[in-house]
Amino acid sequence: MDFKQIIGHEKQIEALKNSIRNKSISHCYLFEGEKGLGKKNLALAFSKTLLCKEGQAEPCNICNQCIKFDTYNHPDFKLLSPEKGIIKKEEVEKLIKSMATAPFEGKRKVFVIDDCDMMRSESHNALLKTLEEPPEYVNIILITSSSSKLLPTILSRCQIIKFYPLSIPKIIELLIKDYGVDEAKAKFIAGFTKGSVENSIELAKSKSFFDKREEVIRVIDSLIKGDKTKVFTSINFFNENKEDIDEILDIIIYWFRDLIIYKEVGTTSLLINEDKLHMLSEESFMDLNKINDIIYRVEDTKINIKRNVNFSLSIETMLLSI
């Protein structure tokens, strides 16, 4: 892993390189942005560069330090990630304790905490004490998509690097060039993932996602055209794909969002489901207020499911509203 393998984020990469060139490396960075933008990959590339024996703005990829990093065997690097949605207190304590010992091989020790907002409050306080007076040889990289969950005093001690979604054209180009995706599918993926590189690549490799999309669109089309029995005949599909329900509900939301755009704007270039234009055209008889009501109902369904409201009942109620 090095900077050349990072897709996009050129300004962020250059800022980190300049900190190495100017010998102004911060003791603590906060990589902040939506999930799936590549923050963790850039954190790893930067960590490898900091640990490289050559001490340049790019890792050499041939020294012992670089080789050990690439084989997950570097004694002066630690990556801490959540397990089952939480970063355990004892893991944070172990990491902080290891910061107190000098580097084994080089001049630095680098620590990355992924999804650091998933630490408990006592871990936040323990980390804060370290950030107030970090050992000179320690560099910490915190990664989050929810900086509002972190203590303001932690934020004030970090150099914040903000990450933004890649442009739709860049995602489309990547999927066509590197993953052999046809243009129509690449355009849909780029719009659906809202510029998330990791999610785009994951969907490009997934056949099951597009099978689910086709089934969801068939269900929507039947309901819109008055087939109320589809509510009950399709419930098994939703139950079988319960783990992917957020994704499925997003497919429904984007479908009705496209219907609004098609009716109001009349242009197809803004549609995420442009490859299904013929179906959207057939459904464009729907009233705008009705479409908006459906979108609100689907969003409410997402919230209710997260609150553990009865799953089947929530889905049935939503489908009946369509």
Side-chain angles (χ1 to χ4, degrees):
M1 173 61 68
D2 61 30
F3 293 127
K4 297 183 183 71
Q5 294 173 272
I6 305 298
I7 301 162
H9 309 309
E10 292 84 0
K11 289 182 179 179
Q12 291 83 350
I13 291 171
E14 196 56 32
L16 294 171
K17 285 183 177 181
N18 282 335
S19 71
I20 296 173
R21 295 186 187 108
N22 301 331
K23 302 188 187 307
S24 58
I25 301 162
S26 174
H27 280 294
C28 187
Y29 292 88
L30 178 72
F31 287 10
E32 178 188 5
E34 295 174 21
K35 286 186 179 295
L37 297 182
K39 303 186 295 296
K40 182 178 174 181
N41 283 341
L42 184 48
L44 293 175
F46 185 46
S47 299
K48 179 180 177 181
T49 309
L50 291 175
L51 292 167
C52 176
K53 190 175 180 180
E54 298 300 318
Q56 301 300 310
E58 296 266 4
C60 72
N61 292 320
I62 57 174
C63 70
N64 286 337
Q65 305 279 40
C66 286
I67 293 169
K68 285 183 178 181
F69 190 93
D70 285 339
T71 55
Y72 308 100
N73 197 31
H74 201 297
D76 294 325
F77 174 75
K78 174 68 177 175
L79 170 64
L80 185 57
S81 300
E83 291 182 19
K84 297 180 180 179
I86 190 169
I87 296 177
K88 295 178 181 177
K89 178 187 174 184
E90 52 266 32
E91 290 296 323
V92 177
E93 289 174 346
K94 190 190 302 182
L95 182 138
I96 291 171
K97 188 177 180 181
S98 68
M99 291 181 187
T101 59
F104 289 97
E105 297 191 6
K107 297 178 181 179
R108 301 179 184 278
K109 296 185 86 169
V110 182
F111 302 87
V112 175
I113 305 179
D114 194 15
D115 289 325
C116 63
D117 49 278
M118 293 185 180
M119 294 187 295
R120 295 193 183 278
S121 57
E122 58 265 31
S123 296
H124 283 228
N125 290 322
L127 180 63
L128 177 60
K129 290 178 182 177
T130 302
L131 295 180
E132 286 172 345
E133 293 184 27
E136 192 171 331
Y137 50 80
V138 164
N139 297 102
I140 302 166
I141 304 172
L142 306 176
I143 303 173
T144 183
S145 56
S146 304
S147 61
S148 60
K149 295 179 181 177
L150 300 176
L151 291 173
T153 41
I154 286 181
L155 296 177
S156 67
R157 284 165 173 77
C158 297
Q159 181 175 331
I160 298 175
I161 307 286
K162 288 186 177 289
F163 287 72
Y164 303 95
L166 263 65
S167 68
I168 298 298
K170 275 191 175 181
I171 296 283
I172 293 172
E173 181 185 359
L174 168 73
L175 296 180
I176 293 173
K177 183 180 176 183
D178 293 354
Y179 294 90
V181 177
D182 65 67
E183 187 174 354
K185 187 178 282 189
K187 185 175 181 182
F188 168 78
I189 292 172
F192 186 80
T193 61
K194 297 179 285 189
S196 167
V197 178
E198 291 178 12
N199 293 346
S200 294
I201 292 171
E202 186 179 332
L203 293 190
K205 294 177 177 178
S206 171
K207 181 182 183 300
S208 64
F209 171 80
F210 285 94
D211 289 342
K212 283 181 282 190
R213 180 194 176 215
E214 291 296 329
E215 180 58 27
V216 170
I217 292 172
R218 278 193 291 269
V219 170
I220 293 171
D221 192 56
S222 297
L223 293 171
I224 287 174
K225 292 174 180 176
D227 182 5
K228 293 181 180 179
T229 62
K230 200 69 178 174
V231 171
F232 307 104
T233 58
S234 63
I235 197 67
N236 283 343
F237 165 78
F238 288 90
N239 284 326
E240 288 166 5
N241 293 282
K242 195 172 182 178
E243 290 185 2
D244 301 316
I245 194 61
D246 260 4
E247 199 172 67
I248 288 170
L249 294 180
D250 281 341
I251 292 171
I252 298 174
I253 289 170
Y254 285 132
W255 185 266
F256 286 102
R257 166 235 182 236
D258 277 1
L259 262 179
I260 292 175
I261 292 172
Y262 183 76
K263 284 176 69 70
E264 288 289 277
V265 183
T267 180
T268 61
S269 61
L270 298 175
L271 300 179
I272 292 174
N273 295 281
E274 189 179 355
D275 58 327
K276 302 291 183 182
L277 182 60
H278 64 290
M279 295 182 74
L280 289 167
S281 177
E282 288 175 1
E283 297 169 3
S284 62
F285 65 85
M286 290 186 73
D287 178 72
L288 280 174
N289 289 330
K290 172 67 175 173
I291 297 171
N292 276 315
D293 286 345
I294 290 170
I295 292 172
Y296 290 138
R297 182 60 64 92
V298 179
E299 288 172 343
D300 282 344
T301 302
K302 289 183 80 169
I303 293 168
N304 288 337
I305 288 171
K306 284 176 182 175
R307 290 174 177 168
N308 292 319
V309 175
N310 183 280
F311 180 84
S312 295
L313 182 60
S314 296
I315 297 298
E316 283 182 11
T317 304
M318 178 194 73
L319 295 178
L320 283 168
S321 76
I322 300 174

